[in-house]
Amino acid sequence: MKFSVAHVNGDQGRCIQMKLDGPVTVREAILASPLPQLFPYLDLDSHRTGIYGRLCSPDTPVNEGDRVEIYLPAARKGSEDDDDGE
C-alpha cells in the first residue's frame, strides 16, 4: 500500500512517500517512516495525528493514497488585549 507521512515545524518539513504491506495504522505508518529520527521531539502519545487535515487516533487504519500527518501542539501567546476576566 502506498501513502505519505508528513510533518511541518516552521520552515522545516517533510512529506515522505511510503510503501508498506497493509493493514497499517497511523501509529505504525509514522513509526515506520524516518520522521521520528528527523524530528526526535515527536511523541505519538502527546502530539495529535490526522489524515489529510482531519484529526484521527493513532489506531486509525491508513488507506491507499492517504497522507498521514503528525501535528505540533498549538502554541498561543497572550497579549495585552486578551480579556482575562479582570
Side-chain angles (χ1 to χ4, degrees):
M1 164 176 34
K2 293 180 182 180
F3 57 91
S4 59
V5 180
H7 174 67
V8 175
N9 182 5
D11 62 350
Q12 296 181 2
R14 294 281 197 286
C15 186
I16 298 160
Q17 300 301 312
M18 301 283 295
K19 184 177 181 180
L20 295 174
D21 292 332
V24 177
T25 65
V26 166
R27 178 182 303 278
E28 293 166 335
I30 292 169
L31 293 176
S33 78
L35 287 182
Q37 291 78 33
L38 294 169
F39 303 100
Y41 55 82
L42 292 177
D43 178 6
L44 290 172
D45 293 325
S46 61
H47 290 84
R48 290 182 170 185
T49 56
I51 296 176
Y52 283 117
R54 300 191 84 162
L55 292 178
C56 68
S57 129
D59 297 323
T60 301
V62 175
N63 295 308
E64 179 83 24
D66 280 352
R67 184 182 65 228
V68 175
E69 302 162 342
I70 184 164
Y71 309 114
L72 289 175
R76 183 175 182 270
K77 294 182 181 180
S79 72
E80 292 179 23
D81 294 335
D82 284 346
D83 181 19
D84 59 5
E86 291 183 27

